[in-house]
Amino acid sequence: MTTQLYLQKAEMQLSRGLEEKALESLLAALACQDGDTISEAQAHCFLGEYWFIHQQYAQAQEHLAWLSDRTEQLERDYDDLLNEDIREAEALLSIMQRFGLNAEQ
């Protein structure tokens, strides 16, 4: 399967309440490495949100920082297609920094 298909599968699993299966699908999406940067960025955003919600801040930061570190390139290469994901990553990273939610918690 492709990154995009795994991402769609994860979204469907989340809508059905199958969190563990969705997590597996998101990790499989990242493992594809098929050059689909848009789907990869969206998978990182989903994983960052997932880990943030589950108070696993080190994992959340890893995925959100992936987006944050590539903001200029993503904006340049994909115009505003990933703006929502980038804003979400920046907001969650800001919350983590403001309240000291880091890898040690």
Side-chain angles (χ1 to χ4, degrees):
M1 285 193 353
T2 66
T3 304
Q4 183 179 19
L5 289 176
Y6 275 117
L7 184 61
Q8 290 172 343
K9 182 179 178 181
E11 289 173 342
M12 185 174 49
Q13 290 166 324
L14 280 174
S15 72
R16 294 180 180 166
L18 303 171
E19 275 191 30
E20 292 299 318
K21 293 290 185 185
L23 179 60
E24 291 173 18
S25 294
L26 289 168
L27 294 173
L30 293 182
C32 281
Q33 297 185 2
D34 59 6
D36 183 353
T37 306
I38 294 170
S39 295
E40 184 178 4
Q42 291 171 330
H44 277 289
C45 188
F46 263 114
L47 283 165
E49 292 169 346
Y50 175 87
W51 291 122
F52 183 87
I53 289 168
H54 289 87
Q55 299 178 355
Q56 300 296 317
Y57 300 117
Q59 291 96 326
Q61 185 168 1
E62 176 184 334
H63 292 286
L64 298 171
W66 186 95
L67 279 162
S68 182
D69 293 345
R70 291 164 179 78
T71 296
E72 282 186 37
Q73 177 191 353
L74 294 171
E75 288 176 341
R76 183 180 62 244
D77 294 348
Y78 302 104
D79 292 325
D80 58 350
L81 190 59
L82 294 168
N83 279 354
E84 185 175 327
D85 298 294
I86 292 168
R87 279 193 303 269
E88 183 73 25
E90 294 295 337
L92 292 175
L93 285 169
S94 177
I95 289 169
M96 289 170 61
Q97 181 180 10
R98 183 176 308 136
F99 295 103
L101 307 172
N102 55 34
E104 294 150 14
Q105 294 188 346

